[in-house]
Amino acid sequence: MIKQPVLAELQYFVKSVSLLYKGVPLKDTGALVKSALHLLEDLPSTRDAVFDYFTLVFNNAVKVYMLSAEKNLPDPSVDDEAVQEIHEALERLVTSGPAAWCPLISSWCLKLLGEVCKKHSRRRPPPDIRSACNLWLGCSAIRYLLSLSALCFEKLNDREMDECINEMLAIYGTHTPFFDWVVARLGGCFPLKVISSMLAMGASRFSGEFDQPSESEVEVLSYLGLAHENDLRSALKSTLERENTSKQAIPYLLLLAKASETISQALVTVFLNLHDEKRLQSLKVQPKNWPSNISLPYVLHTVAGLLLKIKKNAIQVTLILAKLSTQHSWCQELLEIMFVELETLVLDKHPVPLLEDIIRDGSREILWSSCTAHVPYVQQVAVRLVLLASFKSNSVFHQSIVYLLSVGDQTLTAGTKPHLNALVRLLGGPHGTSDVPKVRPAFETAFEKILIGHNKKTDCWNILHNLVELLKLERATILGTTLRKVNCIGTIQELLDRVLKIWENFMNHERQDTPARPRTEQDDAKGSPTKEPGKRIKSEHLEPESMDTQEDTANGQRIGNECRAITYQDLIHETVRLTECLDIGKCVTIGTGQTLKLSQLLVKYFFYCLRLSAGGTSVPMGIIPESLDESLNRVYNLLSKHCAHRKAARTAALRELLEGALFMHGNLFGSQSESQAYSFDKPDDLLIRLNQKQGIALNAYRATVLHAGIIGQGPKIPTKKAIGPASEMQNHLLNAIVACCQDVNDHQATIDGFSYVSLLLVEMISPDVMYNGLPWPEEDFIKVTMERDLQIQRTFRHSPILWSILGLVACYRPSLCYCSVLLRALCASALHQWRSKTAETLNGQKTDLMYMTTKLLELMALAQLLPPPLSYLHIVLEYFDGPEIAYVLKECVWNYMKDHVPSPVLFVCDPTGFHWRDPLTSRPPIQYTNPLRNTMQKKLTKVGHLYYQMFVGPELRSPTGSGIQQPQTILQPVSQPVIGGMSDSGLKAGPSVPFGTIPLGPGQEPL
């Protein structure tokens, strides 16, 4: 039985509410609210009537708010005490009361929100969820309802929560779109369940009659997805994997993604997760069960449009589809549809989110790695994307080229070079436009990458090697092809200064990384570089060492099947190969500075190869095995092409070659210094201490202990004589000189080149600047230049390679004329020494003087500076004694050269362009031959056969000296070129030839 106070409260409540429904205003609203709250707590059976009253109160408060909002007035419901008291009472009931109140109150709140929003939104409908939230949350009554609902959701268990969600979605189905903002707002309390329920409900209702789901679904899911991305992805993933909804889920989700950027981005992430988990194949796609208006072409066009609008991870999805094209043909069809639309947008200069991801560096690495894929279609798709992105940003084009140049082929099988295929396609530029980005900035960036990161040897070698392969491929293609139009060769020629800088840096770093070996007895036997007093000496490392460094070994930078570490040696060789691929001097004329730098580097590389050979690394080595002959042939080819077009190039190359052979790399050619190197590591003693060591007995013994040396280290230590150049090393150097000087099309240019070699030798060997002319002075003048002559002789003794160089010069007449001062100095010093008492002949102990004299006469005969019979002096000299040799040198050689200046004027040029002296017109007078004739007559028992050939035979054949125009030979025929003859072909510098190979020429005097 109801208690009397409760009954009175009930009567008062019923009476007051009846008056309200009749439109009679109450005098005390607060008393009615308190009565209703007491009934709700004390008499639960009246809760429906109480909630109806609460609904009336909230409806009135919202109505007042909407009227005020239309007039832009503040919310008057803020001061409504009835609304506040109801909110506080219900909040206490939820937090402190029984748990059974939570479902009831939440259900009432949701229904009331649906009714209020539907009723009042028609007067002022908001355009979207965000506008609706701004409108309704401005009302305090609506805020109280939302807070009560959220508070009730926290107290619900799982079953009650599912019931509450279903009730909310049911209200959403009947009150949409006015209730959308409530679902979006309250869905944040349990977003995963709300989103999953909405997706399941939408997929189950989807029939395909419309092109897309309702706008309210899209807006609610998008609003929840922005705030709860992970929950949206989980809900999408579970929807895809659910078997009972798989028939309609995929087209429904595609249409949702088409309408919402948030859902499409989340769907892409789900696709990538399924691909990473290798679960794509487990999805059951059944196009036959789709609605009739959702066909496969429609889906393909829809997906293509989605890919173009996605801002993140669209590139990854595109590349995955390209990989799947080998299994599913529709993937390739989809991508072709996408590319058609993409190219249209790009050419019309419309923004494309898909390409913006590439421009922002979001997916460049993935795209670049796909450019080197082994699957052709994947590579094609990646390259097309890069080219289309190049329309928006040239940096994408340039950076892609640099990346492909940095890719190595060590992991690829033989014959497959996908990175080069992609590079060639990329260099052609995008189709459909003439505005192709320039290639030069990409090559500049690649070269700068090498200059900055020279320690990253793998990347450096890959760039250089790929450039070499690219240039070779360009040379092999026919005219008019895309690669020829790009003209990579011309572009790199414009950047020749960068290439030369890279080359120089590699040479310097290789020399720094090469550890210095301690000298051994074998090194001393081989010799050391010659250093002449008063000459400019360049200090360089002379011993070849292994090029392996420890920088990349520690980092694991390996390449090749043998896992051999890349060294600076490999980088140097590859840079030279790159230079060889350029048309230096033919198409593009390089500047003077680059010309001189290239000549210097070519010569340095030449000696570098010789050092490697001398160090025992002549066998093919390196990443690309190459023998010494192949490397040297490349140097000869480059020197020949380079020096043939620029005189400055030939000048610089010859100077570097001769300086290197004589001073910097003399040990390669058997040169020897005068004394061993002194050690400067020892601390210097005080001069007073050194003087005290000498004692006081110096003057007493009338002796001196002063010596030529360094104080504290003793006198100069005599060293072994020079061993002379090996035949291979000698030939390498001579071939390099010939490559610099020889011009196939212009023989006069060849003569000028060897004439310059003569002038350089005079400049480097002669220590004085005076008395270096062509004429030979009187014999008495030898006293003035004796010191200089001895110095020149010492230079030839320490650097035997000079004889080979002069022999080469002598073959190209009249180039040796410009070395007259050297020949004069050698002859003067030989004449002086043969006159001394200590001079000995061939049978004696000292043969250096005989060797020098013989070589001198050979050179003069080879260069036709001495006519017959004086040209045979080097043969008969070994049969003479010292005084006889001195007599012949003075009377025959010195006097003849004094009266006949060795000038180029003495030589005539035949129609073939060769210079020579006619023996018939250049026969020496008898005053120059009689001393030799008389000396040989005294030794006819030894030199009779030579005397007949030199004097008797020629006189018998030509009694008058002018009867026979062509030379005749009474010796056996030989296959080698004649020495002193008119032909220059095949002549080489070397030791004296046997007597049997000497031909007899015309113009020889009779007995």
Side-chain angles (χ1 to χ4, degrees), residues 610-659:
L610 294 186
R611 294 208 317 269
L612 292 178
S613 175
T617 58
S618 57
V619 296
M621 293 183 62
I623 303 303
I624 301 180
E626 186 177 68
S627 63
L628 174 65
D629 292 337
E630 293 175 343
S631 300
L632 292 178
N633 289 335
R634 181 179 295 108
V635 178
Y636 301 151
N637 185 28
L638 287 173
L639 284 174
S640 179
K641 291 192 301 183
H642 183 49
C643 296
H645 294 88
R646 291 293 295 271
K647 186 177 180 180
R650 182 177 63 187
T651 301
L654 288 175
R655 180 176 292 276
E656 292 290 334
L657 274 173
L658 295 179
E659 285 184 352

Side-chain angles (χ1 to χ4, degrees), residues 658-676:
L658 295 179
E659 285 184 352
L662 298 180
F663 306 121
M664 295 182 292
H665 308 281
N667 63 323
L668 296 176
F669 307 100
S671 301
Q672 186 66 41
S673 60
E674 289 187 358
S675 60
Q676 295 179 352

Side-chain angles (χ1 to χ4, degrees), residues 218-434:
V218 175
E219 289 190 9
V220 172
L221 290 174
S222 300
Y223 188 89
L224 290 173
L226 283 176
H228 309 279
E229 295 181 1
N230 295 330
D231 295 321
L232 177 60
R233 296 169 187 169
S234 301
L236 291 173
K237 187 175 181 181
S238 60
T239 303
L240 286 173
E241 295 175 342
R242 197 172 303 160
E243 295 183 2
N244 56 354
T245 59
S246 60
K247 298 180 181 180
Q248 307 294 338
I250 292 180
Y252 172 71
L253 293 179
L254 287 178
L255 294 179
L256 271 180
K258 180 181 178 181
S260 172
E261 180 181 344
T262 303
I263 299 176
S264 62
Q265 192 66 57
L267 198 59
V268 166
T269 306
V270 171
F271 177 84
L272 293 177
N273 291 337
L274 291 174
H275 177 265
D276 295 339
E277 298 171 3
K278 299 181 180 180
R279 298 173 59 186
L280 282 178
Q281 301 297 334
S282 62
L283 296 180
K284 296 182 179 180
V285 182
Q286 302 176 3
K288 296 181 180 179
N289 299 326
W290 292 353
S292 58
N293 61 332
I294 307 295
S295 60
L296 181 60
Y298 176 82
V299 172
L300 294 180
H301 282 82
T302 302
V303 175
L306 288 176
L307 289 177
L308 296 178
K309 297 178 182 179
I310 296 173
K311 295 182 179 180
K312 295 181 180 180
N313 300 325
I315 300 298
Q316 300 181 37
V317 175
T318 305
L319 296 175
I320 291 174
L321 292 174
K323 295 177 182 178
L324 294 176
S325 63
T326 57
Q327 305 174 8
H328 308 284
S329 60
W330 59 266
C331 293
Q332 185 171 351
E333 182 181 355
L334 167 63
L335 292 177
E336 293 302 324
I337 295 173
M338 185 200 72
F339 275 115
V340 171
E341 298 180 8
L342 180 60
E343 290 175 359
T344 303
L345 293 174
V346 170
L347 293 177
D348 293 340
K349 298 183 179 180
H350 293 302
V352 183
L354 173 68
L355 299 181
E356 295 296 329
D357 190 23
I358 303 176
I359 297 174
R360 291 193 305 265
D361 297 337
S363 57
R364 291 191 187 182
E365 292 292 338
I366 301 175
L367 194 61
W368 290 339
S369 61
S370 299
C371 289
T372 61
H374 292 278
V375 182
Y377 189 69
V378 175
Q379 182 186 125
Q380 179 185 356
V381 169
V383 173
R384 292 174 70 179
L385 288 174
V386 172
L387 290 175
L388 291 173
S390 301
F391 280 96
K392 301 291 184 178
S393 174
N394 290 340
S395 64
V396 177
F397 179 75
H398 299 146
Q399 293 178 13
S400 300
I401 293 177
V402 174
Y403 175 85
L404 292 176
L405 287 175
S406 303
V407 175
D409 54 358
Q410 63 270 21
T411 59
L412 306 177
T413 58
T416 61
K417 296 181 180 180
H419 63 291
L420 287 181
N421 299 335
L423 184 59
V424 172
R425 175 64 184 89
L426 195 61
L427 290 173
H431 296 305
T433 178
S434 59

